[in-house]
Amino acid sequence: MHAQRDALYAELHSRPFQVISSTARVSYLAVMMNGEQKKQDFQHFIGLYQRYGVVPPAQDSVCLEVSFGDVRIRREAHLEFISYTIINEGAPFLADPFANNGLSCLPKDWVGGMVGTVVSAFHVAIEDARQQPEPELAQVKSYFEGMRLVGSRPQNGDAQVWTTFQVHSDGCGRTLIYNRNMSDSQLGRMVQRLIEIESYRLFALLGLPMARYYNQRLANMDQKLADLTAQLAETKDEIDEQEVLEQIIDMAAWVEAARAKTTFRFSATSAYHDLVLKRLAELKEDEVSGHLTITEFMTRRLTPAVRTCKATSEHLENLSRRIDRVSDMMRTRVEMSIQSQNQHLLASMDRRSKIQLAMQHTVEGLSVAAISYYSIGLLKYLIEAAYDNGAPINKSLAVGITVPLVIGGVWWATRRIHKRFLKLAKE
């Protein structure tokens, strides 16, 4: 049995859909955290258990859910953030659906002591349209502080959803749901989809400021690279290769640093966008006359923003490839220059070797003469010694005969040595 078998089965059930009654107040927080902050947040969450006298979990998990009376809290761990869904299904519910929410049921000091950076925060008010009629549109608009509404009838009209996708005076977004014909399970699934749409679209948009920042600098970098390429292509004069290489290295370093900073964010933007589109399709919306649906609103502004991030990412990749090509061209030019210098060096060495060979031949001739001279001098001593001791020889004739013999012998021996060294050099 595989060691991870149980964990693989449990993964499919780690984030079950909520079951929410038709009259409830829901608050949602998505807080961006690093690894160390997630550990601190878990300890902070355990402190909430201790306040209500509930036994805390022994270790952190991808999804923790606990009930404190009428309040139900779900804490979910994601790749780069922690989310809190607080559901209040108890009384009292005031006339203003957003006057009392999920967060208002938690200790203020505990909420204020959370670590990390809040990216998404909004309230969801759920009313049962089967028990009391829906208010007029003007009344609904007053709940959203007069902001422009986005209307939707999800699940083929079984619910009416109103929202603005804006931050209100309390620092949170707002969504109002009227349940017309949905069970608690269906309502829980729909609320979960709406929460994910609102949350994921904000995380998807985190890449947009980064894309705008680099787009302004990529235009300048494009022009700089184009000018450098034109200089290499059009100039016939010698260029400072060291200076050009330094410029290419600086551009390559900037592009690689930009890619390192943006790759994760742009990849996350694309992933979050795909999730938003999937959740929008699952809503099965009907249009509300005179109002943009959630899908229309999202695709109108979110999709262009995601495309901007994608275009910036592709621009960086394209610029990196172009710099690589210019770098290859410059390296080829430097290699050709080095080869030309090597050819000149070899030619110079060849000329010097010929001169050295000629000088060697001259030295060999002088060496033959010098060796012969000293050899003949030594033989002359031998001949004179023999003559003085009564040897029957003509001293002058003997010395004269030795001269050509010695010179020939020395020349022959020198040539043999020279040929032997040449043979060794060829081997």
Side-chain angles (χ1 to χ4, degrees):
M1 185 178 295
H2 196 280
Q4 299 295 323
R5 181 171 178 266
D6 292 340
L8 295 175
Y9 268 97
E11 179 61 29
L12 296 178
H13 304 277
S14 61
R15 304 180 197 268
F17 283 109
Q18 300 272 16
V19 177
I20 303 176
S21 62
S22 296
T23 304
R25 301 292 182 262
V26 181
S27 293
Y28 178 85
L29 296 174
V31 189
M32 183 174 285
M33 302 179 187
N34 57 32
E36 184 60 32
Q37 289 175 325
K38 287 181 179 179
K39 295 178 182 178
Q40 297 175 15
D41 181 76
F42 176 63
Q43 296 301 321
H44 185 66
F45 186 50
I46 288 178
L48 195 61
Y49 280 77
Q50 296 170 345
R51 290 196 183 204
Y52 288 95
V54 178
V55 178
Q59 60 184 10
D60 199 359
S61 177
V62 294
C63 182
L64 296 173
E65 189 167 344
V66 61
S67 295
F68 304 126
D70 293 329
V71 179
R72 191 163 77 247
I73 302 177
R74 172 182 285 193
R75 177 184 181 273
E76 297 181 72
H78 301 266
L79 180 62
E80 57 178 337
F81 67 95
I82 295 291
S83 67
Y84 282 92
T85 305
I86 304 101
I87 303 173
N88 178 15
E89 296 178 320
F93 294 131
L94 305 178
D96 184 349
F98 298 105
N100 190 11
N101 51 65
L103 280 178
S104 61
C105 301
L106 298 180
K108 292 183 178 180
D109 62 328
W110 184 88
V111 176
M114 295 179 68
V115 298
T117 304
V118 176
V119 176
S120 177
F122 57 92
H123 306 301
V124 180
I126 304 171
E127 301 285 0
D128 194 342
R130 296 168 296 186
Q131 296 182 2
Q132 57 182 7
E134 299 177 32
E136 297 292 332
L137 184 59
Q139 183 66 32
V140 172
K141 197 168 186 179
S142 68
Y143 299 150
F144 292 89
E145 300 176 343
M147 295 182 181
R148 185 177 180 180
L149 295 175
V150 175
S152 173
R153 289 173 181 163
Q155 308 305 315
N156 301 317
D158 286 345
Q160 173 67 58
V161 177
W162 297 104
T163 187
T164 60
F165 293 111
Q166 297 189 58
V167 177
H168 294 264
S169 58
D170 58 356
C172 299
R174 295 179 180 181
T175 299
L176 179 58
I177 300 174
Y178 290 99
N179 182 11
R180 293 177 173 177
N181 191 30
M182 300 180 70
S183 66
D184 292 350
S185 297
Q186 291 174 324
L187 182 61
R189 291 195 293 271
M190 187 193 71
V191 170
Q192 183 67 28
R193 294 184 185 111
L194 292 171
I195 285 174
E196 291 177 350
I197 289 170
E198 173 67 0
S199 181
Y200 291 155
R201 66 105 177 179
L202 291 174
F203 278 95
L205 288 173
L206 286 178
L208 184 59
M210 188 177 291
R212 288 172 175 168
Y213 172 84
Y214 281 103
N215 276 335
Q216 296 175 358
R217 287 151 181 80
L218 282 172
N220 296 331
M221 192 63 64
D222 271 334
Q223 186 60 47
K224 186 177 180 180
L225 183 61
D227 293 341
L228 183 60
T229 306
Q231 179 185 356
L232 294 175
E234 297 173 3
T235 184
K236 302 300 181 182
D237 302 327
E238 292 186 2
I239 62 173
D240 189 343
E241 296 173 346
Q242 183 68 27
E243 181 182 353
V244 173
L245 284 173
E246 288 178 357
Q247 293 181 30
I248 294 175
I249 291 172
D250 289 342
M251 286 189 287
W254 184 89
V255 170
E256 291 307 313
R259 291 175 63 189
K261 293 177 181 178
T262 60
T263 297
F264 173 78
R265 189 72 268 154
F266 290 161
S267 298
T269 291
S270 178
Y272 286 129
H273 181 241
D274 291 342
L275 288 171
V276 170
L277 294 180
K278 187 174 184 298
R279 299 299 183 266
L280 288 171
E282 292 171 350
L283 283 181
K284 301 177 183 178
E285 292 181 283
D286 287 341
E287 184 178 352
V288 179
S289 178
H291 294 84
L292 288 173
T293 64
I294 296 175
T295 300
E296 289 172 336
F297 180 85
M298 285 291 175
T299 54
R300 174 177 169 270
R301 292 303 306 150
L302 180 62
T303 301
V306 173
R307 287 176 179 171
T308 299
C309 296
K310 183 179 179 180
T312 304
S313 178
E314 292 175 350
H315 196 169
L316 281 169
E317 293 292 334
N318 181 50
L319 185 60
S320 178
R321 288 192 294 268
R322 288 169 56 198
I323 290 174
D324 287 342
R325 289 197 294 268
V326 174
S327 178
D328 290 340
M329 181 174 64
M330 193 62 205
R331 281 196 296 268
T332 302
R333 182 166 182 159
V334 170
E335 289 173 359
M336 291 178 64
S337 176
I338 293 173
Q339 288 178 0
S340 178
Q341 293 176 4
N342 289 339
Q343 289 177 354
H344 289 301
L345 180 62
L346 290 173
S348 176
M349 292 175 63
D350 185 58
R351 286 194 299 272
R352 285 198 296 269
S353 65
K354 289 180 180 179
I355 293 173
Q356 289 176 352
L357 182 60
M359 291 177 64
Q360 182 181 349
H361 289 164
T362 302
V363 170
E364 285 178 0
L366 295 175
S367 299
V368 170
I371 294 171
S372 298
Y373 175 78
Y374 286 108
S375 298
I376 292 170
L378 293 173
L379 289 173
K380 182 179 178 181
Y381 285 122
L382 293 174
I383 293 171
E384 288 178 348
Y387 179 77
D388 291 341
N389 287 292
I393 58 174
N394 188 331
K395 183 174 66 173
S396 299
L397 180 62
V399 172
I401 292 172
T402 60
V403 170
L405 294 175
V406 169
I407 293 173
V410 171
W411 178 85
W412 178 81
T414 304
R415 294 299 298 172
R416 286 292 303 272
I417 294 172
H418 181 70
K419 288 181 179 180
R420 184 175 182 182
F421 279 125
L422 287 176
K423 184 178 180 181
L424 291 173
K426 291 180 180 179
E427 292 176 354

